[in-house]
Structure formats: C-alpha cells, structure tokens
Amino acid sequence: MTDVKDVGKEFKISLPREYAAYRADGGYLSTGSAITDTLDEPFKLYFLSEKKMDAPKLALSASKVGLGGELALDLSCLVQGGIYRLEIMRPDGRPDRLATKVLALDGKKKTEPVRFAFNAEAGTYTLKLTDVRTGLSSEEDVKVGSKRGWSLF
C-alpha cells in the first residue's frame, strides 16, 4: 500500500531493454529502458511495445446516415486481441453514454454496427476510437440527416 506522504513523488521503473512505454488508456510516455512517472493514483498499468504505436484506424462504411440508420466500423484494420473503446459525441458535444462500446477483438467479427436512433438529434456526430492499451485515439465526423433510415438529408 502506498503511503499518503508519497503521493506526488516521482518514481522510476527499470526495464530489461528499450521499449516504447504507454500508460494504459493514458497515452505515450517515452521510449527507453526505464519508465519515469508520478505517484498520483492507487495503481498504474503500462503497455510496452518494441516500436512506437500508431493511433487505431477508424474506418467507417459511410460518413452520412439518416436517423434510425446504421454504419459499419471495419474491425479488420485493428489489432486482433486488442481492446478498443468507441465513443459517440452528440452534435452539442456531449457524449452519448448509452452508445459507448468496448470492443474486445477476437477475430470472429469483421465489422461492428454503429446505430443512430430514430429519435436522435440530426447533425454532426464525432466518433472516437481509443486503443485502451495505449490511450491513442482517432476521430471521425458523421453527418446524421433528419430523414429516417437510409434516406439522407
């Protein structure tokens, strides 16, 4: 257990060789044979890679959809065995908490449906795909038209 007086102190973890280090769901830290970080949480989880990682590719079947419509997220361009979070931000910038998905890729599915409700607000939605291992993310905008189903705008 961490002593309260240690909170805010810097610590160093030595590694057996050079790695690109990421804080899980937190982003890139550094490349080297050690991790230096600050003690500010009860626990920290790190991801080590032999090379610097790229943000996940957010590949959608379309950039426009009608209310009640559906897009497909291409999973084939993502790392199998990876864990990803898909978040949808409404036109007013607020997150659509009910639409957030966590995807654990096992290679069985090639696509993931992204649905928009019939009673959703028309406008531009932002989809954000985050690699939970690294915290790296990509965003794409989707225009959701006021017409129902496949009929757009």
Side-chain angles (χ1 to χ4, degrees), residues 24-100:
D25 209 20
Y28 176 74
L29 291 173
S30 64
T31 298
S33 57
I35 297 173
T36 303
D37 207 347
T38 304
L39 188 61
D40 56 3
E41 298 175 24
F43 67 91
K44 294 191 179 203
L45 184 61
Y46 299 97
F47 173 71
L48 304 176
S49 175
E50 293 185 2
K51 63 181 180 69
K52 199 165 178 187
M53 304 292 286
D54 293 322
K57 183 176 181 184
L58 178 50
L60 299 169
S61 59
S63 61
K64 294 179 182 178
V65 67
L67 292 172
E70 176 180 299
L71 303 173
L73 169 64
D74 182 1
L75 303 177
S76 66
C77 55
L78 302 174
V79 175
Q80 294 307 306
I83 307 291
Y84 298 88
R85 182 178 53 253
L86 180 64
E87 299 169 280
I88 299 176
M89 304 301 281
R90 299 172 191 210
D92 64 6
R94 293 181 302 133
D96 185 345
R97 301 265 185 238
L98 296 175
T100 297

